[in-house]
């Protein structure tokens, strides 16, 4: 077996360097965004635009020098930022209690495997060697869990801070044209994307090197302890996604039902009491929640790949460079995404509204094509020409080009899922236009068409996931599936930039409406927002697709670690687990949907109360009480996020302890299979209803104008569809991918305990 071309020393330099480059690039983007001032100062000298026009003339035309508008934007931005910050602080106080409690649980459960012994033990996979004691695994798994949780929280919080910093700046730039506003929103998204990708990589790399000081040559124990990092990341993401999702949708549903349907006022009208809560929700749900979610996926796919590699020839022969192959792919991903981002911000300029969506799609295509080349380079220089991969008790011979194909299969499957999602959720194509057309006959037909669209949209993504699983497993067993998931997530910085761009544009539109800016500016922000809606659906598609692959890779690692020789579906132990596992996503969705419903009920009552009791509110002479609506959303989401979170976190523990490792393997398989389907259909149904409503509102085509204008019966039917879809696409759907990943990684972390002490009921009877 030839050694890789990249030396161990070079690897130790390359990985942190790429992470630091990512952090520096994100800070540069942030500095550029911060040059848009939120104070009513005149520019000292007019500058010439790329098109030869004078900025000052454009400013005069759109009334940029209206100091009141700038001051109003700054005031609204401050209210949104304060609301989001206070919610996240409160949420993190709740979550930190759970974090400490769960860390103690990890230590006690894993420490008890060998009765808290400090003696070295025989290795799990090679009994002839001695490994560090189980107590060490308990201590280091607990530390990596806490570090993963903290990194996840920081990722979400930084994302929210950047988004609330950029929203009003995007609004102000919209006065100079749609191109300027697009670049501001996209740069802000890139700040979040690169910070998250680089931080996730850097922290993981530092943990590996610190743990190596203790573990030395025991790489099996070292990378088993590292799995706690993925568990920490995903457990925080669950609460962020569910809590943020309930918050944002309670406010959104309340604002829409009373404001648009009952009172016939525009979206984000400052007279609507729920309007600030709605805009806060975009940041805590879509930004902080999505950030934590994709960080969790990234951490888990890296951990799954490292665990399998540690018991393959890479780990057995202590080949550090080959072992770090997953981290090198992520490093290459940061560099590729950096070049890709420049295409959107510097190389090409958007001049027309209809150029926005193609520009975002090009980001996906460019990053995927460049990443394919990048993966080829990494596979060539970092891997030996042939090596062996652990495959359920045997070692499978694999070549470096086979591993390259595994990563590419995941990478291109992600792109396919992204484009299929776009086809089913963008109002440029017939599926959404058909849904909009069904609004002619009322809300019922709109709902029927929307549900059918969601179910149909599952077909191609599932085939894409199935093909990538088959190809990657055939080439490199479970390691192949883990690196395919990493391939899908390798362009995470671009994916997140596109994803964060949506809520920032949505907020920008809201601020434009509340600040009383001209109709032309609102049209520009609406165009940005409609493209953002589609890209958010694409981001969710990526998250769900990668979650399916990550969960399967973690499932494979769990089966190996729990010493299960074969998962036989025909044995009752496994089959009952399969049935219960398939039911869990429905139970979880029921909880989250009902939480949104009950919180929205309180919000609707409060908004109605204010409209009925505050004199002059509809006339615009009195101000609504925004703070009460913010409080309703905050209280409801914090209270309601605990039961769904408990369901996901406790299920593996209860099943593993009472019924044992085989039943738990059934539960994991069942939840993976049903969870992926529901998640894709829920996200796409909600996205389609939302864009059908926007299609009617925009009135860009003859067909759309025949359904409008705002306030018409078809438009009201579309608003009802959008309101039903809100919890589907922003609460239940996105949270389900965390459910399937989190249960798998939790089972892997606790596998030694379940294998030793699990199955209490079957031992008694």
């Amino acid at each position: 077996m030839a050694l890789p071309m990249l030396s161990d020393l070079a690897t130790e330099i390359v990985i942190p360097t790429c992470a630091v480059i990512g952090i520096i690039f994100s800070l540069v983007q942030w500095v550029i965004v911060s040059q848009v001032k939120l104070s009513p100062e005149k520019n000292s000298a007019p500058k010439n635009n790329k098109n030869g026009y004078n900025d000052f003339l454009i400013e005069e035309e759109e009334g940029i020098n209206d100091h009141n508008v700038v001051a109003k934007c700054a005031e609204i931005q401050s209210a949104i930022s304060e609301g989001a910050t206070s919610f996240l602080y409160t949420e993190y106080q709740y979550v930190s209690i759970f974090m400490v409690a769960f860390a103690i649980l990890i230590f006690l459960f894993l420490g008890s495997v060998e009765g808290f012994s400090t003696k070295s033990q025989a290795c799990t996979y090679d009994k002839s060697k001695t490994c560090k004691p189980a107590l060490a695994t308990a201590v280091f798994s607990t530390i990596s869990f806490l570090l993963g949780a903290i990194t996840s929280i920081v990722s979400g919080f930084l994302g929210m801070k950047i988004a609330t910093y950029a929203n009003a700046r995007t609004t102000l730039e919209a006065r100079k044209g749609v191109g300027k506003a697009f670049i501001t929103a996209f740069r802000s998204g890139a700040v979040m994307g690169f910070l998250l990708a680089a931080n996730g990589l850097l922290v993981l790399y530092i943990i590996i090197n610190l743990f190596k000081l203790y573990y030395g040559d025991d790489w099996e124990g070292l990378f088993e302890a590292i799995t706690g990092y993925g568990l920490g990341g995903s457990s925080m993401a669950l609460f962020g996604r569910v809590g943020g999702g309930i918050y944002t949708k309670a406010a959104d549903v309340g604002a829409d039902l009373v404001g648009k349907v009952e009172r016939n006022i525009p979206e984000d009208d400052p007279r609507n009491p729920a309007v600030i809560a709605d805009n806060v929700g975009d940041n805590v749900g879509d930004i902080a929640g999505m950030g934590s979610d994709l960080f969790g996926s990234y951490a888990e796919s890296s951990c799954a790949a490292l665990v399998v590699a540690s018991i393959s020839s890479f780990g057995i022969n202590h080949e550090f460079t080959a072992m770090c192959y997953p981290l090198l792919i992520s490093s290459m991903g940061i560099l590729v995404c950096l070049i890709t981002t420049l295409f959107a911000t510097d190389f090409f300029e958007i001049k027309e509204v209809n150029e926005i969506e193609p520009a975002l799609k090009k980001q996906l295509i460019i990053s995927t094509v460049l990443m394919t080349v990048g993966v080829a380079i990494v596979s060539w220089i970092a891997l030996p020409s042939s090596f062996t991969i652990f495959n359920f008790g045997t070692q499978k011979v694999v070549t470096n080009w086979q591993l390259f194909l595994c990563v590419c299969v995941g990478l291109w499957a992600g792109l396919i899922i992204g484009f299929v999602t776009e086809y089913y959720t963008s109002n440029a194509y017939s599926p959404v236009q058909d849904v909009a057309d069904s609004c002619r006959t009322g809300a019922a037909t709109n709902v029927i068409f929307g549900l059918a669209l969601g179910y149909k949209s599952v077909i191609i993504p599932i085939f894409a996931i199935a093909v990538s699983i088959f190809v990657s497993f055939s080439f490199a067993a479970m390691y192949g599936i883990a690196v395919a998931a990493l391939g899908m997530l390798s362009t995470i910085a671009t994916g997140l930039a596109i994803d964060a761009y949506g809520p920032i544009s949505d907020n920008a539109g809201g601020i434009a409406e509340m600040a009383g800016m001209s109709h032309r500016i609102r049209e520009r922000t609406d165009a940005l927002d409609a493209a953002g809606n589609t890209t958010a659906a694409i981001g969710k598609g990526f998250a769900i697709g990668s979650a399916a692959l990550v969960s399967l890779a973690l499932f494979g690692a769990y089966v190996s670690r729990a010493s299960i020789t074969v998962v036989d579906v025909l044995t009752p132990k496994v089959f009952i687990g399969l049935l219960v596992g398939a039911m869990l996503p429905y139970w979880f969705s029921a909880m989250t949907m009902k939480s949104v419903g009950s919180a929205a009920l309180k919000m609707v009552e409060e908004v109605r109360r204010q409209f009925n009791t505050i004199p002059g509110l509809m006339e615009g002479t009195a101000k609504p009480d925004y703070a009460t609506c913010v409080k309703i959303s905050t209280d409801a989401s914090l209270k309601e996020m605990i039961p769904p979170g408990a369901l996901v976190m406790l299920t593996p523990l209860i099943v593993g302890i009472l019924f044992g490792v085989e039943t738990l393997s059934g539960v994991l398989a069942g939840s993976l299979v049903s969870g992926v389907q529901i998640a894709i259909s829920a996200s796409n149904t909600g996205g389609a209803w939302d864009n059908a409503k926007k299609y009617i509102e925009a009135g860009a085509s003859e067909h759309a104008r025949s359904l409008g204008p705002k306030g018409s019966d078809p438009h009201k039917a579309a608003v009802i569809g959008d309101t039903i879809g809100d919890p589907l696409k922003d609460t239940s759907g996105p949270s389900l991918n965390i459910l399937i990943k989190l249960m798998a990684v939790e089972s892997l972390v606790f596998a030694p305990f379940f294998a030793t002490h699990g199955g209490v009921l079957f031992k008694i009877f």
Side-chain angles (χ1 to χ4, degrees):
M1 288 189 204
L3 288 171
M5 294 159 85
L6 196 68
S7 69
D8 289 359
L9 178 63
T11 304
E12 294 196 20
I13 295 167
V14 165
I15 295 170
T17 303
C18 288
V20 170
I21 288 170
I23 292 168
I24 291 169
F25 182 73
S26 69
L27 294 176
V28 169
Q29 298 300 313
W30 182 73
V31 167
I32 295 169
V33 171
S34 66
Q35 285 170 1
V36 180
K37 296 296 177 215
L38 266 186
S39 52
E41 297 168 14
K42 280 193 183 181
N43 290 345
S44 52
K47 296 183 295 215
N48 272 338
N49 207 327
K50 271 190 190 174
N51 307 333
Y53 292 113
N54 196 295
D55 261 354
F56 191 70
L57 293 175
I58 300 170
E59 291 180 10
E60 286 300 326
E61 179 198 328
E62 292 291 2
I64 272 198
N65 299 319
D66 183 348
H67 295 349
N68 293 339
V69 166
V70 182
K72 187 84 176 126
C73 284
E75 184 192 324
I76 298 161
Q77 186 238 17
S78 169
I80 294 170
S81 182
E82 280 171 24
T85 307
S86 95
F87 168 73
L88 286 183
Y89 272 138
T90 316
E91 180 185 70
Y92 294 153
Q93 284 168 10
Y94 278 75
V95 163
S96 58
I97 298 165
F98 157 80
M99 199 163 82
V100 171
F102 208 75
I104 294 166
L105 206 62
I106 292 172
F107 174 73
L108 293 175
F109 275 33
L110 294 184
S112 68
V113 171
E114 295 287 330
F116 296 97
S117 164
T118 52
K119 290 178 186 170
S120 294
Q121 55 178 353
C123 295
T124 309
Y125 299 99
D126 185 354
K127 300 293 182 189
S128 62
K129 292 181 181 173
T130 54
C131 286
K132 299 290 183 187
L135 190 62
T137 305
V139 171
F140 286 103
S141 292
T142 307
I143 293 168
S144 59
F145 166 78
L146 291 171
L147 287 169
I150 291 163
T151 311
S152 182
I153 284 174
V154 169
S155 299
F157 189 76
L158 286 176
M160 180 279 297
K161 274 294 183 196
I162 293 151
T164 52
Y165 182 80
N167 51 17
R169 288 170 167 80
T170 304
T171 311
L172 294 177
E173 286 293 275
R175 295 173 304 176
K176 299 178 186 175
V178 73
K180 297 259 188 191
F182 170 80
I183 287 176
T184 303
F186 192 80
R187 280 192 199 280
S188 313
V191 178
M192 178 189 178
F194 282 92
L195 265 184
L196 189 140
N199 279 343
L201 176 64
L202 193 60
V203 174
L204 181 59
Y205 178 74
I206 291 168
I207 293 173
I208 290 170
N209 279 294
L210 288 178
F211 284 16
K212 241 168 76 179
L213 298 175
Y214 170 78
Y215 276 100
D217 285 343
D218 176 15
W219 284 16
E220 182 190 303
L222 162 63
F223 290 102
E224 189 175 309
I226 292 287
T227 53
Y229 184 67
L231 176 59
S234 255
S235 54
M236 296 304 106
L238 176 72
F239 291 107
R241 253 305 188 201
V242 174
I246 293 168
Y247 186 107
T248 180
K249 291 305 114 182
D252 200 356
V253 171
D256 280 2
L257 280 181
V258 184
K260 290 204 301 209
V261 178
E262 293 179 12
R263 294 282 170 167
N264 215 5
I265 58 175
E267 189 164 3
D268 298 314
D269 192 295
R271 292 170 291 177
N272 194 326
V275 72
I276 292 287
D278 185 7
N279 282 287
V280 168
D282 289 335
N283 294 293
V284 297
D286 294 346
I287 297 268
M290 177 54 107
S292 293
D293 179 4
L294 281 178
F295 165 75
S297 280
Y298 164 75
E300 283 164 339
S301 56
S302 302
C303 292
L306 291 168
V307 165
V308 180
S310 70
I311 49 177
S312 304
S313 63
F314 301 158
I316 295 163
N317 303 330
H318 299 104
E319 296 167 11
F320 184 73
T321 299
M323 190 74 211
C324 286
Y325 181 66
L327 278 72
L328 288 164
I329 289 175
S330 303
S331 306
M332 178 59 79
I334 290 172
L335 302 181
V336 162
C337 291
L338 193 153
I339 297 164
T340 307
T341 303
L342 297 177
F343 277 93
T345 56
D346 295 84
F347 298 162
F348 299 107
E349 189 178 19
I350 285 176
K351 298 182 183 70
E352 298 293 329
V353 163
N354 58 5
E355 293 173 12
I356 299 168
E357 214 165 293
L360 293 167
K361 278 163 70 176
K362 278 178 196 156
Q363 285 286 296
L364 289 175
I365 296 166
I366 293 165
S367 61
T368 304
V369 170
L370 291 178
M371 193 63 206
T372 305
V373 178
V375 173
I377 295 167
V378 171
S379 304
W380 183 46
I381 63 171
L383 294 172
S385 54
S386 75
F387 41 88
T388 63
I389 294 291
F390 182 84
N391 181 24
F392 299 116
T394 60
Q395 293 285 346
K396 180 183 173 77
V397 177
V398 180
T399 60
N400 54 3
W401 66 265
Q402 286 177 315
L403 218 48
F404 158 70
L405 288 176
C406 291
V407 180
C408 287
V409 151
L411 181 63
W412 285 90
L415 188 68
I416 290 166
I417 291 170
F419 278 148
V420 170
T421 306
E422 192 231 3
Y423 174 72
Y424 280 105
T425 56
S426 168
N427 56 26
Y429 303 105
S430 60
V432 170
Q433 290 172 11
D434 290 345
V435 171
D437 192 64
S438 71
C439 295
R440 288 179 193 280
T441 48
T445 42
N446 180 27
V447 170
I448 292 166
F449 269 72
L451 287 172
L453 177 146
Y455 297 147
K456 195 176 175 186
S457 71
V458 173
I459 300 166
I460 298 172
I462 291 298
F463 275 121
I465 293 168
V467 168
S468 50
I469 287 169
F470 182 78
V471 171
S472 50
F473 188 85
S474 301
F475 281 148
M478 278 298 169
Y479 188 69
I481 292 172
V483 293
L486 257 180
M488 206 177 273
L489 291 164
S490 58
T491 52
I492 187 173
T494 295
L496 264 171
I498 292 171
D499 208 71
Y501 153 89
I504 292 168
S505 303
D506 194 355
N507 263 206
I511 291 170
E513 184 76 49
M514 284 185 269
M517 292 168 120
S518 76
H519 181 63
R520 287 176 63 187
I521 292 166
R522 180 73 223 219
E523 275 181 354
R524 289 170 191 167
T525 55
D526 275 354
L528 292 170
D529 183 23
N533 244 338
T534 304
T535 56
I538 291 172
K540 287 173 190 130
F542 264 91
I544 295 161
S546 61
L549 293 176
V550 168
S551 305
L552 188 57
L554 291 165
F555 177 66
Y558 159 76
V559 167
S560 300
R561 185 63 189 84
S563 308
I564 301 170
T565 46
V566 64
V567 179
D568 184 357
V569 182
L570 294 176
T571 56
K573 274 186 192 178
V574 176
F575 194 78
I576 57 168
L578 208 59
L579 279 175
V580 171
M583 172 273 293
L584 285 174
Y586 290 94
W587 189 359
F588 180 83
S589 297
M591 282 177 157
T592 50
M593 294 281 285
K594 193 162 182 292
S595 299
V596 171
S598 55
L601 200 67
K602 289 178 193 155
M603 187 67 77
V604 167
E605 285 168 358
E606 173 59 25
V607 175
R608 277 180 186 154
R609 184 193 68 76
Q610 291 198 30
F611 274 124
N612 293 332
T613 59
I614 299 176
L617 184 54
M618 271 305 284
E619 293 73 34
T621 53
K623 275 185 81 173
D625 177 9
Y626 297 127
T628 304
C629 291
V630 169
K631 189 173 187 317
I632 287 172
S633 260
T634 303
D635 293 349
S637 57
L638 293 172
K639 190 179 96 189
E640 301 281 359
M641 74 179 181
I642 294 165
L647 173 72
V648 178
M649 299 302 290
L650 294 177
T651 298
L653 293 176
I654 292 167
V655 174
I657 293 167
L658 296 181
F659 301 97
V661 287
E662 288 178 344
T663 307
L664 182 54
S665 69
V667 169
L668 296 179
S671 64
L672 166 60
V673 170
S674 82
V676 171
Q677 329 278 341
I678 305 171
I680 296 173
S681 67
S683 292
N684 291 350
T685 296
W689 275 327
D690 195 347
N691 272 345
K693 175 201 71 177
K694 283 196 166 57
Y695 174 74
I696 295 172
E697 287 175 350
S701 68
E702 193 59 45
H703 176 240
R705 283 191 288 277
S706 73
L707 297 166
K710 288 184 183 179
S712 66
D713 285 343
H715 177 248
K716 285 185 176 175
V719 171
I720 290 168
D722 173 37
T723 310
I724 298 167
D726 275 337
L728 283 172
K729 75 177 168 67
D730 289 323
T731 312
S732 298
S735 304
L736 280 172
N737 59 57
I738 304 176
L739 172 139
I740 56 178
K741 291 181 308 190
L742 186 50
M743 282 173 46
V745 74
E746 188 182 337
S747 303
L748 173 59
V749 169
F750 286 105
F753 177 80
F754 296 150
T756 313
H757 302 299
V760 174
L761 283 183
F762 291 132
K763 284 174 184 170
I764 295 170
F765 298 112

